Amino acid sequence: MAEKKIKRAIYIFVIISVCFIIQSTLFYRLSLGYASPDIMVIVASLVGFMRREREGLFAGAYCGLLMDLFSNTLFGFYMLIFIVIGFFCGLFSESYYADDIKLPVGLVILSDFVYHMYIYIGIFLLKGDTNLGRYLGTIIFPSIIHT
């Protein structure tokens, strides 16, 4: 039983690390305008959704840690939102059916929207940029479509 949990943790660690490398290198080049796919949001959401709150919380913490280490924002800024995303999506793991794709897709879309609103409030709004409509049109909605 313990070996299975350790294997799963290692797999999730490797998946998150590979997705971070892909997001920060390849998908950065594939961005259209200011929007690019957010693979880390997808991973944190789906790990929480498929593996419950606790593993979603830890996956979100690792996703946020990687984002914090390689960004120039306040340390812990991304970790907080990814922990919330992983935990929140883990709350819906009881209603997981392999045949139904609507709930996971809806959770990823909602998570991406919450993630970008958090960035808008934490980075842009606190600096005085109050043009939410421009941010919604140029960054949030294109990013949700990419993701």
Side-chain angles (χ1 to χ4, degrees), residues 30-77:
L30 295 177
S31 63
L32 294 175
Y34 297 108
S36 62
D38 294 317
I39 302 299
M40 300 299 277
V41 173
I42 295 172
V43 171
S45 298
L46 293 181
V47 168
F49 182 68
M50 292 190 304
R51 298 290 179 193
R52 303 182 68 70
E53 301 96 357
R54 186 170 182 229
E55 288 190 36
L57 188 132
F58 288 124
Y62 183 59
C63 288
L65 178 69
L66 286 175
M67 295 287 286
D68 281 333
L69 287 175
F70 294 99
S71 69
N72 58 357
T73 60
L74 182 66
F75 190 77
F77 180 76

Side-chain angles (χ1 to χ4, degrees), residues 34-36 38 77-78 112-125 129-144:
Y34 297 108
S36 62
D38 294 317
F77 180 76
Y78 289 107
D112 200 31
F113 181 77
V114 168
Y115 169 74
H116 283 289
M117 286 304 295
Y118 175 78
I119 290 175
Y120 172 74
I121 292 169
I123 295 177
F124 296 108
L125 188 64
D129 184 9
T130 58
N131 195 352
L132 178 62
R134 181 178 55 88
Y135 190 76
L136 281 170
T138 59
I139 296 176
I140 293 180
F141 290 138
S143 179
I144 288 173

